[in-house]
Amino acid sequence: IKIMLPSMVDGGFWCEGPIGIVNHMPKGRPGSKHVLYLEMAGEEMRRGQALKVSTSKHGEEAVKLLPPTTDGRALKGEEVRSLPDGGARWPVVWLVRAASQYSGGMASGGFSGGWRGFAIDQRICVGDAICCTPLPSTYVDPAQAQGGESWPVDPGAKRVRISIHRA
């Protein structure tokens, strides 16, 4: 679980990976970049609405529910893809970082290119928490599992299921 800070959703749009997820992410030299996919299940997309509070010129506040979007803010050459369950998959870059005193001497990494589009599409705000769960590299639609059909992703690409808990 990772609590969102301003630099993750309102500025630099860099999100260091939650503790423990690094073990499931691509390895490489510090600075190496690897495309992976952040996925949200259809159920999560349907309930993942964010609150927007606006103030009128008379000082009255209005609260509005905003649904997540899939506007396609993705990496160049990639696109946001819909999944059979109504969810979606966003391509992002996993950036490997060197071991440091702040990471307990272990190599770390985080979501870089493409994270901004995901954060904006999902209307993630400061204080929201994300929960990351590693997934197998091939998406199998439960409705088609008996037929053996699957949604392949790039060979060897990592997939991470994201759920958002609103502040």
Side-chain angles (χ1 to χ4, degrees), residues 3-167:
I3 306 295
M4 298 292 98
L5 301 173
S7 63
M8 298 171 185
V9 295
D10 193 28
F13 289 99
W14 153 264
C15 181
E16 183 147 5
I19 295 173
I21 196 89
V22 175
N23 300 334
H24 303 279
M25 294 293 104
K27 310 292 186 254
R29 295 173 49 192
S32 62
K33 300 175 182 180
H34 308 271
V35 174
L36 58 89
Y37 298 93
L38 298 181
E39 295 185 5
M40 289 193 67
E43 181 180 327
E44 178 76 20
M45 291 282 291
R46 288 185 286 279
R47 73 175 171 85
Q49 299 185 35
L51 291 176
K52 178 181 181 183
V53 178
S54 57
T55 307
S56 72
K57 61 182 178 181
H58 304 292
E60 301 160 340
E61 286 190 347
V63 177
K64 181 178 178 183
L65 284 176
L66 300 173
T69 66
T70 55
D71 288 342
R73 295 179 182 98
L75 296 170
K76 282 187 177 175
E78 297 274 351
E79 62 184 41
V80 175
R81 300 265 319 254
S82 294
L83 297 175
D85 70 352
R89 175 173 69 202
W90 285 258
V92 298
V93 170
W94 176 259
L95 180 62
V96 177
R97 296 184 71 184
S100 72
Q101 64 184 21
Y102 304 109
S103 63
M106 299 175 62
S108 65
F111 306 121
S112 185
W115 169 255
R116 178 180 185 271
F118 176 79
I120 290 170
D121 281 355
Q122 295 308 310
R123 305 181 196 284
I124 300 174
C125 298
V126 173
D128 288 350
I130 62 167
C131 181
C132 301
T133 307
L135 297 171
S137 291
T138 302
Y139 177 85
V140 178
D141 178 4
Q144 298 177 351
Q146 294 171 341
E149 293 185 45
S150 64
W151 264 43
V153 296
D154 295 343
K158 299 289 185 176
R159 296 172 53 230
V160 177
R161 176 67 46 107
I162 298 280
S163 61
I164 301 169
H165 305 275
R166 306 286 176 191

